Amino acid sequence: MIEPGLIHFLIVGAILFALGLMAILSKRNTIMVLMGVELILNASNINLVAFSRFTELSLDGQMIGLFIIIIAAAEAAVALAIVLNVYSRFNTISLDKINLMKG
Amino acid sequence: MEVTTLLFYAFAIITLSAAAVMVFSKNIVHSAFALMFTLIGVAALYVLLYADFLAAAQLLVYVGGILILILFGVMLTTQGLTFSFKTTAVNVPAATVVSTAALMLLIYAFVQTDWTIAETGVRDDTVREMGMMLMGAYVLPFIVIGVLLLIAIIGAILMSTRLSAKNDGEI
C-alpha cells in the first residue's frame, strides 16, 4: 500500500461526487435527492481540505470548508421545510408527481 | 507501513462503501443510516488531513444536526403506517453512464495534472489559528454567513408554522 498523498484524497472525493450524482439523477424521493446533495458537498469539502493540507499547510481551504458546512446546514433546514410544504400540498414527495407550477 | 496509511485506507473504504449502500439501498431509512457512516468516515479523513476543528464541526453539524433533520423529514413525509420505506429508482442506466463518465473524467484530470506538492511538516492544532483568521481576514464572510443562517432559520420556521396552522384549520 502506498502512503496516501494528494491524489488519493482527490480520488476519494471524486468517487463520492459520482455516487452523489447517481443519487440525484436516479432517485425519485426528494429526501434521497437531498442526501445526494449532501454527498456532493462532502466531496467538494474533502478536495478543499486536501488541497489546503498539501500546499504549505495554509488554513484557507479549511476556512472555506467550514463555510460550506454552515451553508449545508442552512440548505438542509430550508429544503426540508420546503419538502414538508410540498408534502402537505401534493400528499406525495415523488418528484415525478409534483408537476404543477401553480398550486 | 505507518499507522496513518492503514487508517486512511480503512476510513476511505468505510466512507465509500457506506456511500454506495446509501445510493443503492431501496430502503430510505437504511440510506439515512449509511449516510451517517459516510459522514463519520469523512470526518476521520479530515483528521488525517490535520483539520481537527473541521472534523469536530462535521460531526456536530452533519451527524448531529442534518442527519436528524433528514430522519425527521423521512418520518413526516411517509404515508400511513408503513413498515417498509421504499424508494423508487428511475433512469438507472442513464444515471450510471453519466456518473461513471463524470468519475472517469475527474480521475483522468486528477491523474494527468502535475501537482506541485509542498513538503511540509506536521501541524498540531488549528483551532487558535482559525479563530484568529475568523476575526481577522475572514470577518466579513463570518458576519454575512451569520446573517444568512438567521434568515434561513426564520424562513424555515415561517414555512413550517404556516403549514401546521393550515392543517389545524382544515381539521
Side-chain angles (χ1 to χ4, degrees):
Chain A
M1 282 194 275
I2 326 163
E3 194 176 334
L6 173 65
I7 197 84
H8 295 76
F9 287 98
L10 291 185
I11 286 176
V12 170
I15 297 174
L16 268 189
F17 171 80
L19 285 169
L21 193 64
M22 178 89 194
I24 288 179
L25 289 178
S26 71
K27 294 293 181 181
R28 276 300 161 263
N29 190 320
T30 317
I31 294 178
M32 279 302 295
V33 174
L34 277 178
M35 288 194 216
V37 173
E38 302 296 343
L39 270 194
I40 289 186
L41 286 170
N42 268 288
S44 70
N45 238 351
I46 287 181
N47 278 14
L48 284 170
V49 179
F51 282 131
S52 120
R53 154 74 176 84
F54 287 101
T55 53
E56 65 200 24
L57 286 179
S58 84
L59 276 181
D60 292 303
Q62 292 191 26
M63 202 57 95
I64 299 173
L66 187 64
F67 285 129
I68 290 179
I69 290 180
I70 299 170
I71 288 177
E75 172 253 8
V78 174
L80 279 166
I82 291 174
V83 167
L84 289 186
N85 265 303
V86 165
Y87 180 70
S88 81
R89 181 177 294 264
F90 293 95
N91 216 18
T92 179
I93 52 167
S94 170
L95 286 176
D96 283 336
K97 293 180 185 139
I98 304 167
N99 50 13
L100 288 178
M101 291 289 279
K102 200 172 129 195
Chain B
M1 187 165 47
E2 286 186 43
V3 183
T4 48
T5 312
L6 211 62
L7 280 178
F8 168 76
Y9 284 104
F11 281 117
I13 288 171
I14 288 176
T15 307
L16 294 178
S17 52
V21 169
M22 186 221 110
V23 174
F24 296 110
S25 168
K26 294 258 180 268
N27 187 322
I28 192 165
V29 179
H30 292 177
S31 293
F33 273 98
L35 185 66
M36 179 180 83
F37 285 104
T38 309
L39 297 173
I40 291 175
V42 171
L45 291 182
Y46 288 164
V47 173
L48 292 179
L49 289 166
Y50 302 146
D52 51 353
F53 179 71
L54 211 58
Q58 165 100 358
L59 282 182
L60 285 176
V61 175
Y62 268 108
V63 183
I66 293 178
L67 202 66
I68 304 296
L69 219 58
I70 284 177
L71 277 174
F72 267 107
V74 171
M75 287 189 264
L76 286 174
T77 56
T78 316
Q79 285 116 329
L81 288 167
T82 39
F83 291 100
S84 60
F85 298 87
K86 296 276 186 237
T87 61
T88 51
V90 295
N91 301 333
V92 175
T96 312
V97 168
V98 170
S99 50
T100 314
L103 176 66
M104 289 304 153
L105 198 67
L106 279 174
I107 289 182
Y108 177 75
F110 289 153
V111 172
Q112 287 296 308
T113 312
D114 188 24
W115 304 104
T116 49
I117 293 172
E119 288 300 326
T120 47
V122 293
R123 172 190 281 287
D124 40 0
D125 65 332
T126 62
V127 180
R128 180 186 157 82
E129 207 171 326
M130 278 184 91
M132 289 307 213
M133 283 170 83
L134 269 184
M135 284 297 125
Y138 283 87
V139 68
L140 183 65
F142 187 58
I143 293 173
V144 168
I145 212 151
V147 175
L148 174 83
L149 263 183
L150 181 68
I151 293 172
I153 290 169
I154 291 175
I157 291 175
L158 264 182
M159 277 194 275
S160 315
T161 49
R162 203 180 53 192
L163 182 74
S164 58
K166 199 176 70 182
N167 281 352
D168 288 348
E170 280 172 1
I171 294 167

